[in-house]
């Protein structure tokens, strides 16, 4: 069974983030990224392309390694929904958590595509204690 092409792009995008590679090829220049309220951003945050770049660079400095395990993916038209388990090992202390601590979060990621690139992303990140 062939997978929807936007699911392949979504998975490759998350793999690039995990490896600290450029995410530019996956993002539309007009992207709007909504990270809904969570343990790290209690008020949530909305980012444009520059904000996504900055967050990606900051994340690469905050974690020494990370992994996105896509557990489920559904696509319809230009939309993809992912269920993801994220794990990240802290390179630096974050709050009361020491460097070397492994964080885990269960993510629901909703992506919208235009011209084969991500134009909208909404994250619902549930961090474990």
């Amino acid at each position: 069974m062939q997978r929807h092409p936007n699911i392949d792009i979504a998975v490759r995008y998350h793999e690039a983030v995990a490896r600290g590679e450029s995410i530019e090829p996956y993002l539309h220049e007009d992207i709007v990224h909504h990270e809904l309220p969570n343990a790290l951003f209690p008020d949530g945050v909305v980012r444009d392309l520059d904000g996504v770049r900055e967050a990606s660079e900051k994340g690469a400095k905050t974690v020494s390694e990370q992994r996105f395990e896509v557990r489920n993916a559904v696509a319809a038209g230009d939309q993809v929904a992912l269920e993801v388990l994220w794990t990240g090992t802290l390179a630096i202390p974050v709050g009361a958590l020491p460097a070397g601590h492994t964080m885990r979060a269960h993510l629901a990621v909703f992506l919208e595509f235009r011209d084969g690139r991500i134009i909208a992303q909404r994250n619902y990140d549930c961090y474990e204690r």
Side-chain angles (χ1 to χ4, degrees), residues 47-83:
R47 300 178 180 99
D48 61 7
L49 181 57
D50 288 337
V52 172
R53 282 187 198 122
E54 290 172 21
S56 181
E57 290 168 8
K58 183 178 179 182
K61 294 175 184 174
T62 303
V63 294
S64 58
E65 65 179 302
Q66 62 181 326
R67 181 175 175 208
F68 294 88
E69 179 187 333
V70 177
R71 295 191 160 180
N72 194 10
V74 178
D78 290 332
Q79 297 189 25
V80 171
L82 301 175
E83 179 183 5

Side-chain angles (χ1 to χ4, degrees), residues 40 47 127:
L40 298 180
R47 300 178 180 99
Y127 290 89

Side-chain angles (χ1 to χ4, degrees), residues 2 18 57 74 118 120 122:
Q2 187 176 12
E57 290 168 8
V74 178
I118 300 165
R122 290 181 313 283

Side-chain angles (χ1 to χ4, degrees), residues 4 8 11 22 24 26 32 35 45 47-49 58 64 71-73 75 79 88 93 105 128:
H4 193 285
D8 289 331
V11 169
S22 173
E24 298 290 325
Y26 305 99
V32 176
E35 187 168 346
V45 63
R47 300 178 180 99
D48 61 7
L49 181 57
K58 183 178 179 182
S64 58
R71 295 191 160 180
N72 194 10
Q79 297 189 25
E128 293 183 3

